[in-house]
Amino acid sequence: MRAMSSNRNIVILTGAGISAESGLKTFRAEDGLWESHPVDQVATPEGFARDPDLVQRFYDERRAQVLAASPNPAHMALGHLDRHFAGELLIVTQNIDDLHERGGASRVLHMHGEALSAWCRACDARHRWTGTLREGPACPACGEVAMRPDIVWFGEMPYRMDEIFDALARADLFVSIGTSGAVYPAAGFVQQAAAHGARTLELNLEESLGSRNFDETRLGPASELVPRWVEEVLGR
Ligand code: APR
């Protein structure tokens, strides 16, 4: 097993838990609802087809929440790591917020899409979007009224999987932060990385479904665990 200080290639997977202390709700609360909606109502293509107005309003609210939130010490610490770590680094996030970027990180891949992006189904263009979509604005590129949230819903293919699997195959350290390990393919990344020889570390508030797959699990709030781990990696 490699020592932490010998890491040359780190892949970090983040989930809703890293943004919880910024006031953004996680998904798998006891009631199984996301912001008081059943997930299949607001996070599936079928739900959107059934009631587009409800789904657009839902993501209009999520977009407004993201804009109002601020990065917490965990995002800031990963931003610091990204700027100071000389090796290869990739932050793969399942989160649709932009708190990693606002925390100073640039090597970020949003596998489940972004709240602040709109996707035109007519011409396939994507636009940074900070306003609302419920009123059916025309696409700035083609003029059609066909924009939906640029979010990967259940039943859709996560973005940039080839790049992610390439990075996992090269990683010598894989770190999972604030994710329940309930949703694939992200839940399987730990096994992918380990199969290629990476050391694996989990930082989470509580034991997750995938905890037994990691070499090491540290339990606690991300705002405490992540800055401490970043200090270790940077050797200070
Ligand atoms: N610090 C660290 N971990 C935390 C904190 C915190 N302050 N608060 C909560 N957690 C942990 C929870 O214990 C839980 O294990 O974060 C995890 C959040 O799990 P989920 O709510 O399931 O979120 P996530 O794993 O990101 O969900 C994956 O599911 O609904 C879909 O597409 C959506 O990207 C999402 C995916």
Side-chain angles (χ1 to χ4, degrees), residues 74-118:
H75 300 107
M76 301 304 288
L78 292 188
H80 182 75
L81 178 68
D82 188 10
R83 290 192 305 278
H84 293 93
F85 181 66
E88 257 194 83
L89 176 89
L90 179 64
I91 301 171
V92 178
T93 188
Q94 299 168 89
N95 298 343
I96 61 171
D97 64 59
D98 65 343
L99 297 179
H100 283 307
E101 288 88 344
R102 283 197 273 145
S106 57
R107 292 179 268 183
V108 182
L109 188 163
H110 285 269
M111 65 178 290
H112 289 168
E114 296 178 64
L116 302 183
S117 176

Side-chain angles (χ1 to χ4, degrees), residues 14-21 25-29 34 39 43 72 93-96 111-112 151-154 177-183 186 202-209 220-223 225-226:
T14 66
I18 198 168
S19 295
E21 292 165 83
K25 287 226 175 98
T26 58
F27 303 93
R28 298 204 157 63
W34 183 15
V39 166
N72 68 54
T93 188
Q94 299 168 89
N95 298 343
I96 61 171
M111 65 178 290
H112 289 168
I151 305 291
V152 176
W153 288 324
F154 287 97
I177 305 172
T179 176
S180 62
V183 174
E202 177 182 47
L203 309 177
N204 206 49
L205 189 61
E206 59 201 2
E207 293 245 336
S208 73
L209 291 171
S223 63
L225 295 183
V226 179

Side-chain angles (χ1 to χ4, degrees), residues 127-151:
H127 306 282
R128 179 174 160 82
W129 208 263
T130 53
T132 54
L133 288 175
R134 63 172 167 266
E135 70 281 15
C139 168
C142 73
E144 294 290 322
V145 176
M147 291 204 293
R148 60 164 264 188
D150 189 8
I151 305 291

